[in-house]
Amino acid sequence: MSTTQSERLRELLEPLVSSQGLDLEEIAVDAVGRKRVLRVVVDSDTGADLDRIADVSRALSAKLDETDVMGGAEYTLEVGTPGAERLLTEHRHYVRATGRLVRFQLAGGDELVARITEADDEGLDVEVPGVKGRKPTARRLAFADITRARVQVEFNRRDDASDKKNDTKEEEA
């Protein structure tokens, strides 16, 4: 039997979140004045749109109302996704971040900013952007060498769809 509130919440909510086709990424209970806020972070390989978030929020709220896991005090339930600059902590996070620019803290204190091109069970293939007109270089990172990794926000990021559209326009010209 679990002892902490977070463990009890995870045991209660994780099966429900999974049944909705999502992964339970994080649970946090924070005190905000006299009230408490239960924050639940969910995600999936295909992402979680507002409709899915609303559906899982309603299901979690109903389940919490059936139990006393939150105690008798008032609380607010917030359900959301990890956000743009998510911290990568699980293998599935790296897989989902394929194609994204990531800031890596490496064992030994080095830092590297690179784009994940592929993730497998042992590590990552990344592309390190070229500096001052130089071509990008490929590099392999073992998971054991990564101490911290966070997705970076890119305002001018070219996605695969726009690349394909631009390639088609160039071929037609």
Side-chain angles (χ1 to χ4, degrees):
M1 182 83 187
S2 62
T3 56
T4 68
Q5 184 179 33
S6 290
E7 290 170 340
R8 289 191 304 273
L9 283 165
R10 183 167 288 278
E11 286 175 5
L12 179 70
L13 303 180
E14 193 159 31
L16 190 56
V17 171
S18 295
S19 74
Q20 302 276 333
L22 298 168
D23 295 317
L24 180 60
E25 297 293 348
E26 184 181 328
I27 294 176
V29 180
D30 298 315
V32 180
R34 292 183 178 171
K35 295 182 182 182
R36 292 177 298 155
V37 177
L38 170 58
R39 290 186 176 90
V40 178
V41 178
V42 298
D43 202 5
S44 77
D45 290 342
T46 58
D49 63 19
L50 289 176
D51 291 334
R52 288 179 81 185
I53 296 292
D55 290 343
V56 78
S57 181
R58 282 189 291 274
L60 294 178
S61 181
K63 188 67 160 181
L64 289 165
D65 288 346
E66 293 173 8
T67 69
D68 68 345
V69 72
M70 288 299 293
E74 192 175 325
Y75 70 93
T76 301
L77 173 64
E78 293 180 359
V79 179
T81 58
E85 290 188 343
R86 75 169 307 155
L87 191 61
L88 307 177
T89 58
E90 303 281 337
H91 182 267
R92 68 178 179 264
H93 299 163
Y94 290 97
V95 172
R96 290 175 186 162
T98 299
R100 301 291 308 271
L101 196 64
V102 176
R103 181 177 305 276
F104 297 96
Q105 298 292 321
L106 305 175
D110 291 339
E111 185 173 278
L112 174 70
V113 176
R115 187 171 311 282
I116 298 175
T117 57
E118 189 172 335
D120 59 35
D121 291 339
E122 287 80 39
L124 306 169
D125 291 329
V126 299
E127 181 180 83
V128 181
V131 179
K132 295 183 181 177
R134 294 186 182 155
K135 291 185 179 183
T137 56
R139 184 168 172 185
R140 177 76 180 168
L141 296 177
F143 286 122
D145 295 334
I146 301 169
T147 59
R148 184 177 171 99
R150 183 177 297 277
V151 172
Q152 300 298 288
V153 173
E154 296 178 82
F155 293 106
N156 296 323
R157 181 173 168 231
R158 290 178 55 185
D159 62 11
D160 292 337
S162 68
D163 287 346
K164 289 176 186 171
K165 188 185 293 183
N166 290 337
D167 290 344
T168 304
K169 286 180 182 177
E170 290 173 7
E171 290 173 8
E172 292 174 357

